[in-house]
Amino acid sequence: MKIQQICARLAGLAVFRSLLEDPVVAAYGRLAKALAQGAGLQAVCQAAGEMEALLFAQDTDDLSEYILAAVLECENICARQAARGALAPGLKKALEGELDFLEQLSALSLDGLLEAAGLEDSRREELAFLPRWEAHPTGLAAAYTDRLGQMGRRGYGMFARHHVFMLGDEGKLAPVRHPDPQRLEDLPGYEREREKIIANTKALLAGLPANNVLLYGDAGTGKSSAVKAIANEYASQGLRLVEVKKNQLYLLPDLMDKLAANPLKFILFIDDLSFASNDDNFAALKAILEGSAGGRAANLAVYATSNRRHLVKETLSDRTGDDLHEADTRQELLSLSARFGLIVTFQRPDKALYSQILLQLAKQYQIPMPSDLLITRGEAFAIRAGGRSPRAARQFIEQCRAGMV
C-alpha cells in the first residue's frame, strides 16, 4: 500500500471507527499523514516519537500484537450483531474489507511505512536513529472471525478486558482494574450455602430462569466474598459483576436496559443492603426486583448481601403511629426480602465449623503450628474480635503468617 492509501483507509474506517480514538492508532495516523504530506524531518520525527512513546507506555514495542488486541476488543455493530445472530451482507462485506486493511497495517514496520511513503534512501538514513517497533503477521482477520463466534463468553469493548465494574454517579460503568482476587477454593466452610448460589449462577449462564439472590447472615461470614469469588470463577464463561451502591438504585433501570442487549451475563451486586422506613430507594429496588412494566432481562440477576433478614429497619414508634392501615404498611416493608427468589442464610459458625475453617486456612497459608494450639489461640482471638466468624479466622491466620501471634 502507498502512504496515501493508508491515510485514506484509516480515515474511512466505519466498522472499526472507534479505533481512531485509540491513542496509539491516532498517533499512527498522524505519522502517516505527516509522511503523506511530505513534512520535514523534524515534523516526521516528532510524529514518530510521539507514536512510539505511546506504544511503549503500554509496556510493549509490538505494534502488531497491540493492534490485534485493540481490534479483537473493539465494540462495534458487527460484534453486537454477531452476538445476536448472522451479520447483514453489507456489514459482512465492510467487515472483511476493513479486517484485510488492518491486517496489512498491523504487519507494517517503520521501515515499511517509510518505504510506502516513497522516501529516498538519503531521507530514510536521516531517520535511522528512530526506535523500531516490532511488526509481523498476526492472522488478524482469522482471529477476529473466531472471536465473533465467542462473543457470548468473551464479550467486546471493556467487557472483554475486565470482568468487574463499578457504577458511577453518572450512570456509567467503570472497570475495576484490580478486583479482589478471591477464589472459591480459598473460602473454607459454608460450601452448602455457596452451592445454592453457584447453581443459580450456572442457570443464569446457561440462559435458564435465574433468581435474584439475597445473602443474609451475621457479619464476617463471607457473604460478599462468596459473590466476588463466584464472579472470578465464572468470568471465563461470560459472567460479569457490576457493583452498585444503595444510593444508586435509581440508575439501575437505564443500566439494565443497556445491558439487556449484551451477550454476556451480569450480576448486579448490592453489598450491605438495608433501608430506613422512609427511604426512597426502597421503592426503586422493589420495581427492579419485580413488578416493573419492562420486566427483568434474562441475562441479569441481582445479588444482594445484608446483615438483616428484614431489609427495612422498623422501630416501635413505626408500630404505634397514626397509620390507619398499619398492618398493610408493615406487610409492605416485610415483603421486600420475599421478592428475592433465593435467600441464603450465612449463620455464625459454631466451634466445630470455626475449628475446621482455622485448620483449612492454616493449610493454605502453610502455618506450621500444631492443630490443638492453633485452635486454642484461634478461639481466644475470636473472643477478642467479638465472636467466631470466617473473617476472624482469616485475620488470625494472617497474623500468624506475619509472625504477630
Side-chain angles (χ1 to χ4, degrees):
M1 286 187 295
K2 299 297 184 182
I3 195 68
Q4 289 79 9
Q5 187 180 7
I6 291 173
C7 292
R9 294 292 299 272
L10 271 174
L13 286 176
V15 174
F16 292 100
R17 191 154 195 84
S18 61
L19 285 181
L20 299 179
E21 299 174 8
D22 181 278
V24 175
V25 176
Y28 188 103
R30 291 191 291 272
L31 172 58
K33 187 176 181 179
L35 290 169
Q37 294 176 342
L41 177 64
Q42 184 173 350
V44 171
C45 290
Q46 182 173 343
E50 178 189 357
M51 178 260 167
E52 291 176 317
L54 289 168
L55 178 65
F56 298 160
Q58 304 301 316
D59 293 328
T60 183
D61 66 345
D62 193 326
L63 182 66
S64 302
E65 292 297 328
Y66 181 87
I67 292 179
L68 173 64
V71 169
L72 292 179
E73 296 170 358
C74 180
E75 180 175 355
N76 57 63
I77 186 173
C78 290
R80 293 191 292 270
Q81 282 202 3
R84 299 193 294 268
L87 296 178
L91 278 177
K92 185 176 181 181
K93 183 176 180 180
L95 175 65
E96 291 172 350
E98 292 191 9
L99 285 175
D100 179 67
F101 162 67
L102 290 169
E103 185 163 11
Q104 293 181 60
L105 186 74
S106 67
L108 203 58
S109 65
L110 176 58
D111 290 317
L113 189 65
L114 298 177
E115 183 178 345
L119 292 189
E120 298 176 355
D121 290 345
S122 58
R123 287 208 63 193
R124 289 166 64 179
E125 289 177 4
E126 291 178 327
L127 300 171
F129 70 92
L130 289 173
R132 263 50 180 172
W133 61 76
E134 289 290 325
H136 50 83
T138 58
L140 183 150
Y144 190 79
T145 301
D146 182 61
R147 175 62 67 87
L148 285 180
Q150 303 179 47
M151 285 299 169
R153 292 189 300 106
R154 302 290 296 273
Y156 47 72
M158 64 179 178
F159 298 110
R161 295 187 293 272
H162 308 280
H163 74 281
V164 179
F165 302 86
M166 297 285 293
L167 184 61
D169 292 334
E170 300 293 326
K172 295 182 179 180
L173 290 180
V176 177
R177 301 187 183 281
H178 304 287
D180 189 335
Q182 195 74 256
R183 308 296 298 190
L184 287 172
E185 59 266 25
D186 297 332
L187 301 176
Y190 298 91
E191 286 83 2
R192 184 172 58 182
E193 289 81 357
R194 287 196 296 273
E195 193 55 46
K196 298 175 183 178
I197 309 166
I198 291 171
N200 190 73
T201 305
K202 287 181 177 178
L204 177 67
L205 288 168
L208 301 173
N211 289 302
N212 296 314
V213 183
L214 174 63
L215 293 76
Y216 149 75
D218 297 301
T221 49
K223 302 181 295 297
S224 301
S225 295
V227 176
K228 295 173 183 177
I230 287 171
N232 292 335
E233 189 75 19
Y234 294 100
S236 62
Q237 297 184 32
L239 184 65
R240 300 294 182 265
L241 182 76
V242 179
E243 187 164 354
V244 182
K245 298 182 178 67
K246 189 189 73 171
N247 62 359
Q248 297 175 319
L249 291 177
Y250 72 97
L251 296 170
L252 279 186
D254 287 341
L255 175 65
M256 293 168 78
D257 284 344
K258 294 174 183 176
L259 295 180
N262 197 296
L264 299 171
K265 305 299 189 295
F266 293 89
I267 290 174
L268 305 181
F269 178 45
I270 311 168
D271 199 17
D272 197 18
L273 183 64
S274 66
F275 298 100
S277 58
N278 61 348
D279 195 329
D280 292 338
N281 291 299
F282 171 78
L285 183 58
K286 281 184 64 177
I288 291 164
L289 294 175
E290 182 184 331
S292 63
R296 178 166 64 88
N299 67 332
L300 300 167
V302 176
Y303 285 20
T305 69
S306 179
N307 296 337
R308 301 175 60 89
R309 173 64 177 81
H310 300 300
L311 298 175
V312 182
K313 298 176 183 178
E314 188 182 13
T315 65
L316 286 175
S317 61
D318 292 331
R319 298 200 175 199
T320 59
D322 56 2
D323 190 345
L324 294 177
H325 304 286
E326 180 262 340
D328 290 345
T329 301
R330 188 161 62 252
Q331 283 301 316
E332 180 186 18
L333 298 179
L334 298 178
S335 70
L336 181 59
S337 58
R339 291 176 182 264
F340 288 89
L342 176 61
I343 299 177
V344 183
T345 303
F346 286 69
Q347 295 180 333
R348 189 180 294 274
D350 58 17
K351 184 174 182 179
L353 179 56
Y354 182 70
S355 298
Q356 175 190 337
I357 293 171
L358 279 173
L359 292 173
Q360 291 187 38
L361 287 174
K363 185 177 180 180
Q364 286 180 23
Y365 283 77
Q366 299 180 336
I367 304 299
M369 189 182 300
S371 298
D372 292 345
L373 182 59
L374 182 82
I375 292 171
T376 300
R377 291 185 176 180
E379 282 283 346
F381 182 89
I383 293 172
R384 295 193 300 271
R388 301 186 189 102
S389 71
R391 180 185 296 161
R394 187 172 295 276
Q395 289 172 345
F396 169 70
I397 294 297
E398 287 175 347
Q399 290 191 15
C400 289
R401 180 68 180 271
M404 299 171 61
V405 176

